[in-house]
Amino acid sequence: MFDLGMLCLIAFAFCIAGFVKGMVGLGLPTVSLGLLSLFVDLPTAMALLVMPSLVTNIWQAIAGGEFTSLFRRLWLFLLLAVTMVHVGAELFTMVEMLLLQRSLGALLLLYALLALVGKTPRLSPIQERVSSPICGAINGMLTGLTGTLFVPGVMFLQAIGLSRDALVQAMGMLFAASTASLGLALYWHGLMPFDVGILSCAALLPALFGMSVGQVLRGHLAQDLFRRLFLIAIGGLGSHILLS
């Protein structure tokens, strides 16, 4: 099914996607899907990214030394983000997907532009406690509906004032939990052929290599520069969703 040239292209796609994720903490599914769709069909591309996305998110979630404190702070947000994935999946046939995806893309792009020209919104401790379960539930539902893992979860995590590395680690926790839930759904519905599943596991190597390089470079970035790159990445993801 996959010749040597195709395998090299797949490895290159995941290396680039891993590098982006290592730099800013997100973007592996979007970047890899965009590159893979140039030479494989979309269902195959989605199946290929499951293991690289899951494992890199787990790595991102446990690296950084703040897992315990972040989990104590975010457990309710994460719990609802995971459980509501299945509710969103049940509503899949009842919602106009194209309109919803365009709306999500526009929301991400608008958020990034406003944050780049002004200040990022900040939530007080009381506002954080109130909005945490709400944002988690909405994020999970939209994940189940569209496969988009980061609306409004990433915006919530940035608004509660996490540091650069804590923000990246918290996003890894959110993405790992959400990707695991989506991966199980993919398996249950028979959308993961054996040969594609094996290749998805093999794609871990270039993805992890790219991510490790990106993480090293991120460690040399100033906080303000990281914030700008992060918001540019968010805007790029929004634009991709909006225009695709």
Side-chain angles (χ1 to χ4, degrees), residues 171-242:
M171 288 192 299
M173 295 167 69
L174 171 63
F175 298 157
S178 300
T179 303
S181 187
L182 281 176
L184 286 174
L186 194 65
Y187 176 76
W188 287 336
H189 287 84
L191 299 175
M192 179 67 79
F194 179 77
D195 58 341
V196 178
I198 294 297
L199 188 54
S200 180
C201 292
L204 276 171
L205 294 177
L208 290 173
F209 172 76
M211 185 175 176
S212 63
V213 174
Q215 285 179 327
V216 170
L217 292 181
R218 189 184 77 223
H220 296 285
L221 294 178
Q223 185 80 20
D224 288 343
L225 178 57
F226 170 79
R227 176 181 173 276
R228 288 195 295 272
L229 290 175
F230 174 80
L231 291 171
I232 290 170
I234 290 289
L237 291 174
S239 299
H240 175 80
I241 295 171
L242 184 61

Short mmCIF file of all heavy atoms in Angstrom, two decimals, residues 171-242:
data_model
loop_
_atom_site.label_atom_id
_atom_site.label_comp_id
_atom_site.label_asym_id
_atom_site.label_seq_id
_atom_site.Cartn_x
_atom_site.Cartn_y
_atom_site.Cartn_z
N MET A 171 -1.90 22.11 27.94
CA MET A 171 -2.48 21.78 26.64
C MET A 171 -2.22 20.31 26.30
O MET A 171 -3.08 19.62 25.73
CB MET A 171 -1.90 22.69 25.55
CG MET A 171 -2.39 24.12 25.62
SD MET A 171 -1.98 25.10 24.14
CE MET A 171 -0.18 25.03 24.17
N GLY A 172 -1.03 19.81 26.66
CA GLY A 172 -0.74 18.40 26.44
C GLY A 172 -1.69 17.50 27.19
O GLY A 172 -2.14 16.47 26.67
N MET A 173 -2.03 17.87 28.43
CA MET A 173 -2.98 17.08 29.22
C MET A 173 -4.35 17.07 28.56
O MET A 173 -5.00 16.02 28.46
CB MET A 173 -3.07 17.67 30.64
CG MET A 173 -1.77 17.54 31.42
SD MET A 173 -1.70 18.55 32.94
CE MET A 173 -2.91 17.69 33.95
N LEU A 174 -4.80 18.23 28.09
CA LEU A 174 -6.09 18.32 27.42
C LEU A 174 -6.10 17.51 26.13
O LEU A 174 -7.00 16.72 25.87
CB LEU A 174 -6.42 19.79 27.12
CG LEU A 174 -7.63 20.05 26.22
CD1 LEU A 174 -8.91 19.55 26.86
CD2 LEU A 174 -7.74 21.54 25.89
N PHE A 175 -5.06 17.69 25.31
CA PHE A 175 -5.01 17.03 24.01
C PHE A 175 -4.85 15.52 24.15
O PHE A 175 -5.41 14.75 23.37
CB PHE A 175 -3.87 17.59 23.16
CG PHE A 175 -4.00 19.05 22.84
CD1 PHE A 175 -2.88 19.81 22.51
CD2 PHE A 175 -5.23 19.70 22.86
CE1 PHE A 175 -2.99 21.15 22.20
CE2 PHE A 175 -5.34 21.04 22.57
CZ PHE A 175 -4.22 21.77 22.23
N ALA A 176 -4.06 15.07 25.14
CA ALA A 176 -3.85 13.64 25.33
C ALA A 176 -5.16 12.95 25.71
O ALA A 176 -5.51 11.90 25.14
CB ALA A 176 -2.79 13.40 26.41
N ALA A 177 -5.88 13.54 26.64
CA ALA A 177 -7.15 12.95 27.06
C ALA A 177 -8.16 12.95 25.92
O ALA A 177 -8.85 11.94 25.68
CB ALA A 177 -7.71 13.73 28.26
N SER A 178 -8.23 14.03 25.17
CA SER A 178 -9.20 14.13 24.08
C SER A 178 -8.82 13.20 22.93
O SER A 178 -9.70 12.56 22.33
CB SER A 178 -9.27 15.58 23.57
OG SER A 178 -9.67 16.45 24.59
N THR A 179 -7.53 13.11 22.61
CA THR A 179 -7.09 12.24 21.52
C THR A 179 -7.34 10.77 21.86
O THR A 179 -7.74 9.99 21.00
CB THR A 179 -5.59 12.44 21.23
OG1 THR A 179 -5.36 13.82 20.92
CG2 THR A 179 -5.15 11.60 20.04
N ALA A 180 -7.12 10.38 23.11
CA ALA A 180 -7.38 9.00 23.52
C ALA A 180 -8.86 8.66 23.34
O ALA A 180 -9.21 7.58 22.84
CB ALA A 180 -6.96 8.79 24.98
N SER A 181 -9.73 9.58 23.72
CA SER A 181 -11.16 9.36 23.56
C SER A 181 -11.54 9.24 22.08
O SER A 181 -12.31 8.35 21.69
CB SER A 181 -11.94 10.50 24.22
OG SER A 181 -13.31 10.24 24.23
N LEU A 182 -10.99 10.12 21.25
CA LEU A 182 -11.27 10.05 19.81
C LEU A 182 -10.68 8.79 19.18
O LEU A 182 -11.29 8.17 18.31
CB LEU A 182 -10.69 11.28 19.11
CG LEU A 182 -11.50 12.57 19.22
CD1 LEU A 182 -10.74 13.71 18.56
CD2 LEU A 182 -12.87 12.42 18.60
N GLY A 183 -9.49 8.38 19.63
CA GLY A 183 -8.87 7.18 19.09
C GLY A 183 -9.69 5.94 19.38
O GLY A 183 -9.84 5.06 18.52
N LEU A 184 -10.26 5.85 20.57
CA LEU A 184 -11.13 4.73 20.90
C LEU A 184 -12.37 4.71 20.00
O LEU A 184 -12.79 3.65 19.53
CB LEU A 184 -11.55 4.82 22.38
CG LEU A 184 -10.49 4.46 23.41
CD1 LEU A 184 -11.00 4.73 24.82
CD2 LEU A 184 -10.07 2.99 23.26
N ALA A 185 -12.93 5.87 19.77
CA ALA A 185 -14.10 5.95 18.89
C ALA A 185 -13.74 5.50 17.47
O ALA A 185 -14.51 4.79 16.81
CB ALA A 185 -14.65 7.37 18.87
N LEU A 186 -12.56 5.90 16.99
CA LEU A 186 -12.11 5.50 15.66
C LEU A 186 -11.96 3.98 15.58
O LEU A 186 -12.36 3.35 14.60
CB LEU A 186 -10.78 6.18 15.34
CG LEU A 186 -10.28 6.18 13.90
CD1 LEU A 186 -11.21 6.98 13.01
CD2 LEU A 186 -8.86 6.74 13.82
N TYR A 187 -11.39 3.39 16.62
CA TYR A 187 -11.20 1.94 16.64
C TYR A 187 -12.54 1.21 16.69
O TYR A 187 -12.76 0.23 15.98
CB TYR A 187 -10.34 1.56 17.85
CG TYR A 187 -10.16 0.08 18.03
CD1 TYR A 187 -9.29 -0.64 17.21
CD2 TYR A 187 -10.88 -0.61 19.00
CE1 TYR A 187 -9.13 -2.01 17.38
CE2 TYR A 187 -10.73 -1.97 19.17
CZ TYR A 187 -9.85 -2.68 18.35
OH TYR A 187 -9.71 -4.02 18.52
N TRP A 188 -13.44 1.68 17.54
CA TRP A 188 -14.74 1.03 17.67
C TRP A 188 -15.53 1.04 16.37
O TRP A 188 -16.33 0.15 16.11
CB TRP A 188 -15.55 1.72 18.78
CG TRP A 188 -15.05 1.43 20.16
CD1 TRP A 188 -14.33 0.35 20.56
CD2 TRP A 188 -15.21 2.25 21.33
NE1 TRP A 188 -14.02 0.45 21.90
CE2 TRP A 188 -14.56 1.58 22.39
CE3 TRP A 188 -15.85 3.47 21.57
CZ2 TRP A 188 -14.53 2.11 23.67
CZ3 TRP A 188 -15.82 3.99 22.84
CH2 TRP A 188 -15.16 3.31 23.89
N HIS A 189 -15.33 2.06 15.56
CA HIS A 189 -16.08 2.17 14.31
C HIS A 189 -15.33 1.54 13.12
O HIS A 189 -15.73 1.72 11.97
CB HIS A 189 -16.39 3.63 14.00
CG HIS A 189 -17.45 4.21 14.90
ND1 HIS A 189 -17.17 4.72 16.15
CD2 HIS A 189 -18.79 4.34 14.74
CE1 HIS A 189 -18.28 5.15 16.72
NE2 HIS A 189 -19.29 4.92 15.89
N GLY A 190 -14.25 0.81 13.39
CA GLY A 190 -13.54 0.08 12.35
C GLY A 190 -12.82 0.94 11.34
O GLY A 190 -12.64 0.54 10.19
N LEU A 191 -12.37 2.12 11.76
CA LEU A 191 -11.73 3.05 10.84
C LEU A 191 -10.20 3.03 10.94
O LEU A 191 -9.54 3.93 10.45
CB LEU A 191 -12.25 4.47 11.09
CG LEU A 191 -13.75 4.67 10.87
CD1 LEU A 191 -14.17 6.08 11.27
CD2 LEU A 191 -14.13 4.37 9.43
N MET A 192 -9.66 1.99 11.59
CA MET A 192 -8.21 1.88 11.75
C MET A 192 -7.75 0.54 11.18
O MET A 192 -7.61 -0.45 11.90
CB MET A 192 -7.82 1.99 13.23
CG MET A 192 -6.33 1.86 13.51
SD MET A 192 -5.35 3.21 12.88
CE MET A 192 -5.67 4.45 14.14
N PRO A 193 -7.51 0.45 9.85
CA PRO A 193 -6.98 -0.79 9.27
C PRO A 193 -5.65 -1.17 9.90
O PRO A 193 -4.88 -0.31 10.33
CB PRO A 193 -6.82 -0.45 7.78
CG PRO A 193 -7.70 0.74 7.55
CD PRO A 193 -7.70 1.50 8.84
N PHE A 194 -5.35 -2.48 9.91
CA PHE A 194 -4.15 -2.97 10.60
C PHE A 194 -2.88 -2.35 10.04
O PHE A 194 -2.01 -1.89 10.80
CB PHE A 194 -4.08 -4.50 10.50
CG PHE A 194 -2.87 -5.08 11.16
CD1 PHE A 194 -2.81 -5.19 12.55
CD2 PHE A 194 -1.79 -5.50 10.41
CE1 PHE A 194 -1.69 -5.71 13.17
CE2 PHE A 194 -0.66 -6.03 11.03
CZ PHE A 194 -0.62 -6.14 12.41
N ASP A 195 -2.74 -2.32 8.70
CA ASP A 195 -1.50 -1.81 8.13
C ASP A 195 -1.32 -0.32 8.39
O ASP A 195 -0.22 0.16 8.65
CB ASP A 195 -1.44 -2.09 6.62
CG ASP A 195 -2.61 -1.50 5.86
OD1 ASP A 195 -3.63 -1.20 6.49
OD2 ASP A 195 -2.49 -1.36 4.62
N VAL A 196 -2.44 0.42 8.37
CA VAL A 196 -2.36 1.85 8.68
C VAL A 196 -2.04 2.06 10.16
O VAL A 196 -1.30 2.98 10.52
CB VAL A 196 -3.67 2.56 8.29
CG1 VAL A 196 -3.61 4.04 8.66
CG2 VAL A 196 -3.93 2.41 6.80
N GLY A 197 -2.58 1.19 11.02
CA GLY A 197 -2.27 1.28 12.44
C GLY A 197 -0.80 1.05 12.72
O GLY A 197 -0.19 1.76 13.53
N ILE A 198 -0.19 0.07 12.02
CA ILE A 198 1.25 -0.18 12.18
C ILE A 198 2.05 1.03 11.71
O ILE A 198 3.01 1.46 12.37
CB ILE A 198 1.66 -1.44 11.39
CG1 ILE A 198 1.00 -2.69 11.99
CG2 ILE A 198 3.17 -1.58 11.37
CD1 ILE A 198 1.43 -2.99 13.41
N LEU A 199 1.67 1.59 10.58
CA LEU A 199 2.39 2.75 10.06
C LEU A 199 2.21 3.96 10.97
O LEU A 199 3.12 4.77 11.13
CB LEU A 199 1.91 3.07 8.64
CG LEU A 199 2.70 4.14 7.88
CD1 LEU A 199 4.19 3.82 7.86
CD2 LEU A 199 2.16 4.28 6.46
N SER A 200 1.03 4.09 11.58
CA SER A 200 0.80 5.17 12.54
C SER A 200 1.76 5.06 13.72
O SER A 200 2.30 6.06 14.20
CB SER A 200 -0.65 5.15 13.02
OG SER A 200 -0.90 6.18 13.95
N CYS A 201 2.00 3.82 14.18
CA CYS A 201 2.97 3.61 15.26
C CYS A 201 4.38 3.98 14.81
O CYS A 201 5.14 4.61 15.55
CB CYS A 201 2.92 2.16 15.73
SG CYS A 201 1.38 1.68 16.55
N ALA A 202 4.73 3.58 13.57
CA ALA A 202 6.06 3.90 13.05
C ALA A 202 6.26 5.39 12.88
O ALA A 202 7.38 5.90 13.02
CB ALA A 202 6.27 3.18 11.72
N ALA A 203 5.16 6.13 12.60
CA ALA A 203 5.27 7.57 12.40
C ALA A 203 5.61 8.31 13.68
O ALA A 203 5.92 9.51 13.65
CB ALA A 203 3.95 8.11 11.83
N LEU A 204 5.56 7.59 14.81
CA LEU A 204 5.97 8.20 16.08
C LEU A 204 7.41 8.70 16.03
O LEU A 204 7.74 9.74 16.60
CB LEU A 204 5.85 7.17 17.21
CG LEU A 204 4.49 6.99 17.86
CD1 LEU A 204 4.51 5.80 18.79
CD2 LEU A 204 4.11 8.25 18.61
N LEU A 205 8.29 7.93 15.37
CA LEU A 205 9.71 8.28 15.39
C LEU A 205 9.99 9.66 14.80
O LEU A 205 10.62 10.50 15.46
CB LEU A 205 10.51 7.19 14.67
CG LEU A 205 10.52 5.82 15.36
CD1 LEU A 205 11.29 4.80 14.51
CD2 LEU A 205 11.13 5.92 16.74
N PRO A 206 9.56 9.95 13.56
CA PRO A 206 9.82 11.30 13.05
C PRO A 206 9.07 12.38 13.82
O PRO A 206 9.58 13.49 13.97
CB PRO A 206 9.35 11.23 11.59
CG PRO A 206 8.42 10.07 11.53
CD PRO A 206 8.95 9.08 12.53
N ALA A 207 7.86 12.06 14.32
CA ALA A 207 7.11 13.06 15.09
C ALA A 207 7.83 13.41 16.39
O ALA A 207 7.94 14.59 16.76
CB ALA A 207 5.70 12.54 15.38
N LEU A 208 8.34 12.40 17.08
CA LEU A 208 9.06 12.64 18.34
C LEU A 208 10.38 13.36 18.09
O LEU A 208 10.79 14.21 18.89
CB LEU A 208 9.30 11.32 19.06
CG LEU A 208 8.07 10.65 19.66
CD1 LEU A 208 8.42 9.27 20.19
CD2 LEU A 208 7.44 11.50 20.74
N PHE A 209 11.05 13.02 16.99
CA PHE A 209 12.29 13.72 16.66
C PHE A 209 12.01 15.21 16.41
O PHE A 209 12.70 16.08 16.96
CB PHE A 209 12.93 13.10 15.43
CG PHE A 209 14.12 13.88 14.91
CD1 PHE A 209 15.33 13.81 15.56
CD2 PHE A 209 14.00 14.69 13.79
CE1 PHE A 209 16.43 14.55 15.09
CE2 PHE A 209 15.07 15.41 13.32
CZ PHE A 209 16.30 15.35 13.97
N GLY A 210 11.02 15.51 15.57
CA GLY A 210 10.68 16.90 15.30
C GLY A 210 10.26 17.64 16.56
O GLY A 210 10.64 18.79 16.78
N MET A 211 9.49 16.96 17.42
CA MET A 211 9.03 17.60 18.65
C MET A 211 10.19 17.90 19.58
O MET A 211 10.22 18.97 20.22
CB MET A 211 8.01 16.68 19.34
CG MET A 211 7.37 17.29 20.57
SD MET A 211 6.09 16.20 21.24
CE MET A 211 5.63 17.12 22.71
N SER A 212 11.16 16.98 19.68
CA SER A 212 12.30 17.22 20.57
C SER A 212 13.12 18.42 20.10
O SER A 212 13.57 19.23 20.91
CB SER A 212 13.18 15.97 20.64
OG SER A 212 13.74 15.66 19.38
N VAL A 213 13.29 18.57 18.79
CA VAL A 213 14.01 19.73 18.26
C VAL A 213 13.24 21.01 18.57
O VAL A 213 13.82 22.02 19.00
CB VAL A 213 14.23 19.58 16.74
CG1 VAL A 213 14.85 20.85 16.16
CG2 VAL A 213 15.11 18.38 16.44
N GLY A 214 11.92 20.98 18.37
CA GLY A 214 11.10 22.15 18.66
C GLY A 214 11.14 22.54 20.13
O GLY A 214 11.17 23.73 20.47
N GLN A 215 11.15 21.55 21.02
CA GLN A 215 11.19 21.83 22.45
C GLN A 215 12.52 22.49 22.85
O GLN A 215 12.54 23.39 23.69
CB GLN A 215 10.99 20.54 23.25
CG GLN A 215 9.56 20.05 23.26
CD GLN A 215 9.41 18.76 24.04
OE1 GLN A 215 10.31 17.92 24.07
NE2 GLN A 215 8.27 18.58 24.66
N VAL A 216 13.60 22.03 22.25
CA VAL A 216 14.90 22.64 22.55
C VAL A 216 14.90 24.11 22.14
O VAL A 216 15.34 24.99 22.89
CB VAL A 216 16.03 21.88 21.83
CG1 VAL A 216 17.34 22.65 21.93
CG2 VAL A 216 16.19 20.49 22.42
N LEU A 217 14.38 24.40 20.95
CA LEU A 217 14.33 25.78 20.49
C LEU A 217 13.39 26.62 21.35
O LEU A 217 13.65 27.79 21.62
CB LEU A 217 13.89 25.83 19.03
CG LEU A 217 14.89 25.26 18.01
CD1 LEU A 217 14.34 25.39 16.60
CD2 LEU A 217 16.23 25.97 18.12
N ARG A 218 12.27 26.02 21.80
CA ARG A 218 11.34 26.76 22.65
C ARG A 218 12.00 27.21 23.94
O ARG A 218 11.72 28.29 24.47
CB ARG A 218 10.11 25.90 22.97
CG ARG A 218 9.00 26.68 23.67
CD ARG A 218 7.84 25.79 24.06
NE ARG A 218 8.13 24.98 25.22
CZ ARG A 218 7.83 23.70 25.36
NH1 ARG A 218 7.26 23.03 24.37
NH2 ARG A 218 8.13 23.05 26.47
N GLY A 219 12.90 26.38 24.47
CA GLY A 219 13.58 26.72 25.71
C GLY A 219 14.45 27.96 25.60
O GLY A 219 14.79 28.56 26.62
N HIS A 220 14.78 28.37 24.38
CA HIS A 220 15.61 29.56 24.18
C HIS A 220 14.79 30.79 23.80
O HIS A 220 15.36 31.86 23.54
CB HIS A 220 16.65 29.29 23.08
CG HIS A 220 17.63 28.21 23.43
ND1 HIS A 220 18.66 28.39 24.32
CD2 HIS A 220 17.73 26.93 23.02
CE1 HIS A 220 19.36 27.28 24.45
NE2 HIS A 220 18.81 26.37 23.66
N LEU A 221 13.45 30.63 23.77
CA LEU A 221 12.60 31.76 23.40
C LEU A 221 12.24 32.59 24.62
O LEU A 221 11.93 32.05 25.69
CB LEU A 221 11.30 31.26 22.75
CG LEU A 221 11.41 30.56 21.39
CD1 LEU A 221 10.02 30.10 20.94
CD2 LEU A 221 12.01 31.48 20.35
N ALA A 222 12.24 33.90 24.47
CA ALA A 222 11.74 34.79 25.52
C ALA A 222 10.22 34.62 25.63
O ALA A 222 9.55 34.21 24.69
CB ALA A 222 12.07 36.24 25.20
N GLN A 223 9.68 34.92 26.83
CA GLN A 223 8.24 34.74 27.08
C GLN A 223 7.41 35.51 26.06
O GLN A 223 6.42 34.99 25.54
CB GLN A 223 7.91 35.20 28.50
CG GLN A 223 6.48 34.94 28.93
CD GLN A 223 6.24 33.51 29.35
OE1 GLN A 223 7.17 32.79 29.69
NE2 GLN A 223 4.99 33.08 29.32
N ASP A 224 7.76 36.75 25.77
CA ASP A 224 6.96 37.56 24.84
C ASP A 224 7.02 37.01 23.42
O ASP A 224 6.01 37.01 22.71
CB ASP A 224 7.45 39.02 24.85
CG ASP A 224 7.07 39.75 26.12
OD1 ASP A 224 6.18 39.26 26.84
OD2 ASP A 224 7.68 40.81 26.40
N LEU A 225 8.19 36.55 23.01
CA LEU A 225 8.32 35.98 21.67
C LEU A 225 7.51 34.69 21.57
O LEU A 225 6.83 34.45 20.55
CB LEU A 225 9.78 35.70 21.34
CG LEU A 225 10.06 35.05 19.98
CD1 LEU A 225 9.48 35.89 18.84
CD2 LEU A 225 11.55 34.81 19.79
N PHE A 226 7.55 33.85 22.62
CA PHE A 226 6.74 32.63 22.62
C PHE A 226 5.26 32.97 22.50
O PHE A 226 4.52 32.33 21.75
CB PHE A 226 6.98 31.83 23.89
CG PHE A 226 6.00 30.69 24.07
CD1 PHE A 226 6.15 29.51 23.36
CD2 PHE A 226 4.90 30.83 24.91
CE1 PHE A 226 5.24 28.47 23.51
CE2 PHE A 226 3.99 29.80 25.06
CZ PHE A 226 4.16 28.62 24.36
N ARG A 227 4.82 34.00 23.25
CA ARG A 227 3.41 34.39 23.21
C ARG A 227 3.00 34.78 21.79
O ARG A 227 1.93 34.39 21.30
CB ARG A 227 3.15 35.55 24.18
CG ARG A 227 1.73 36.10 24.14
CD ARG A 227 1.58 37.26 25.11
NE ARG A 227 0.27 37.88 24.96
CZ ARG A 227 -0.02 38.81 24.06
NH1 ARG A 227 0.93 39.22 23.22
NH2 ARG A 227 -1.23 39.32 23.99
N ARG A 228 3.84 35.56 21.11
CA ARG A 228 3.51 35.97 19.74
C ARG A 228 3.47 34.78 18.80
O ARG A 228 2.55 34.66 17.97
CB ARG A 228 4.52 37.02 19.26
CG ARG A 228 4.35 38.38 19.93
CD ARG A 228 5.11 39.46 19.18
NE ARG A 228 6.56 39.25 19.21
CZ ARG A 228 7.34 39.70 20.17
NH1 ARG A 228 6.83 40.39 21.18
NH2 ARG A 228 8.66 39.47 20.12
N LEU A 229 4.45 33.89 18.91
CA LEU A 229 4.46 32.70 18.06
C LEU A 229 3.24 31.82 18.34
O LEU A 229 2.65 31.25 17.42
CB LEU A 229 5.74 31.91 18.27
CG LEU A 229 7.03 32.55 17.75
CD1 LEU A 229 8.24 31.71 18.15
CD2 LEU A 229 6.97 32.72 16.24
N PHE A 230 2.89 31.70 19.61
CA PHE A 230 1.73 30.91 20.00
C PHE A 230 0.45 31.46 19.37
O PHE A 230 -0.36 30.74 18.80
CB PHE A 230 1.61 30.89 21.53
CG PHE A 230 0.38 30.21 22.05
CD1 PHE A 230 0.32 28.84 22.13
CD2 PHE A 230 -0.71 30.96 22.47
CE1 PHE A 230 -0.82 28.21 22.61
CE2 PHE A 230 -1.85 30.35 22.96
CZ PHE A 230 -1.91 28.97 23.03
N LEU A 231 0.28 32.78 19.46
CA LEU A 231 -0.92 33.39 18.91
C LEU A 231 -0.93 33.33 17.38
O LEU A 231 -2.00 33.16 16.77
CB LEU A 231 -1.02 34.84 19.38
CG LEU A 231 -1.32 35.03 20.87
CD1 LEU A 231 -1.18 36.49 21.27
CD2 LEU A 231 -2.72 34.50 21.21
N ILE A 232 0.23 33.46 16.75
CA ILE A 232 0.30 33.30 15.30
C ILE A 232 -0.10 31.89 14.90
O ILE A 232 -0.82 31.68 13.91
CB ILE A 232 1.72 33.64 14.80
CG1 ILE A 232 1.98 35.15 14.93
CG2 ILE A 232 1.90 33.21 13.34
CD1 ILE A 232 3.42 35.55 14.69
N ALA A 233 0.34 30.90 15.69
CA ALA A 233 -0.04 29.52 15.42
C ALA A 233 -1.55 29.33 15.56
O ALA A 233 -2.18 28.65 14.74
CB ALA A 233 0.71 28.57 16.35
N ILE A 234 -2.14 29.92 16.61
CA ILE A 234 -3.59 29.85 16.80
C ILE A 234 -4.31 30.48 15.61
O ILE A 234 -5.28 29.93 15.08
CB ILE A 234 -4.00 30.56 18.11
CG1 ILE A 234 -3.52 29.76 19.32
CG2 ILE A 234 -5.51 30.76 18.17
CD1 ILE A 234 -4.26 28.48 19.54
N GLY A 235 -3.84 31.66 15.18
CA GLY A 235 -4.45 32.31 14.02
C GLY A 235 -4.29 31.48 12.76
O GLY A 235 -5.22 31.41 11.93
N GLY A 236 -3.14 30.83 12.60
CA GLY A 236 -2.93 29.98 11.44
C GLY A 236 -3.87 28.79 11.43
O GLY A 236 -4.42 28.42 10.39
N LEU A 237 -4.06 28.18 12.61
CA LEU A 237 -5.00 27.07 12.71
C LEU A 237 -6.42 27.53 12.37
O LEU A 237 -7.17 26.84 11.67
CB LEU A 237 -4.96 26.47 14.12
CG LEU A 237 -3.69 25.74 14.51
CD1 LEU A 237 -3.75 25.33 15.97
CD2 LEU A 237 -3.48 24.52 13.64
N GLY A 238 -6.80 28.69 12.92
CA GLY A 238 -8.12 29.22 12.60
C GLY A 238 -8.32 29.48 11.13
O GLY A 238 -9.36 29.17 10.56
N SER A 239 -7.30 30.06 10.50
CA SER A 239 -7.38 30.33 9.06
C SER A 239 -7.51 29.04 8.26
O SER A 239 -8.28 28.95 7.29
CB SER A 239 -6.14 31.11 8.61
OG SER A 239 -6.04 32.34 9.27
N HIS A 240 -6.74 28.02 8.66
CA HIS A 240 -6.81 26.74 7.97
C HIS A 240 -8.21 26.14 8.06
O HIS A 240 -8.76 25.66 7.06
CB HIS A 240 -5.78 25.78 8.56
CG HIS A 240 -5.83 24.39 8.00
ND1 HIS A 240 -5.27 24.06 6.80
CD2 HIS A 240 -6.42 23.26 8.48
CE1 HIS A 240 -5.49 22.79 6.53
NE2 HIS A 240 -6.18 22.27 7.55
N ILE A 241 -8.78 26.16 9.26
CA ILE A 241 -10.13 25.60 9.46
C ILE A 241 -11.15 26.42 8.67
O ILE A 241 -12.08 25.88 8.04
CB ILE A 241 -10.49 25.57 10.95
CG1 ILE A 241 -9.57 24.60 11.69
CG2 ILE A 241 -11.95 25.17 11.15
CD1 ILE A 241 -9.70 24.67 13.20
N LEU A 242 -11.00 27.74 8.71
CA LEU A 242 -11.96 28.62 8.05
C LEU A 242 -11.96 28.46 6.54
O LEU A 242 -13.01 28.51 5.89
CB LEU A 242 -11.64 30.07 8.42
CG LEU A 242 -12.58 31.17 7.92
CD1 LEU A 242 -13.99 30.96 8.48
CD2 LEU A 242 -12.05 32.53 8.33
#
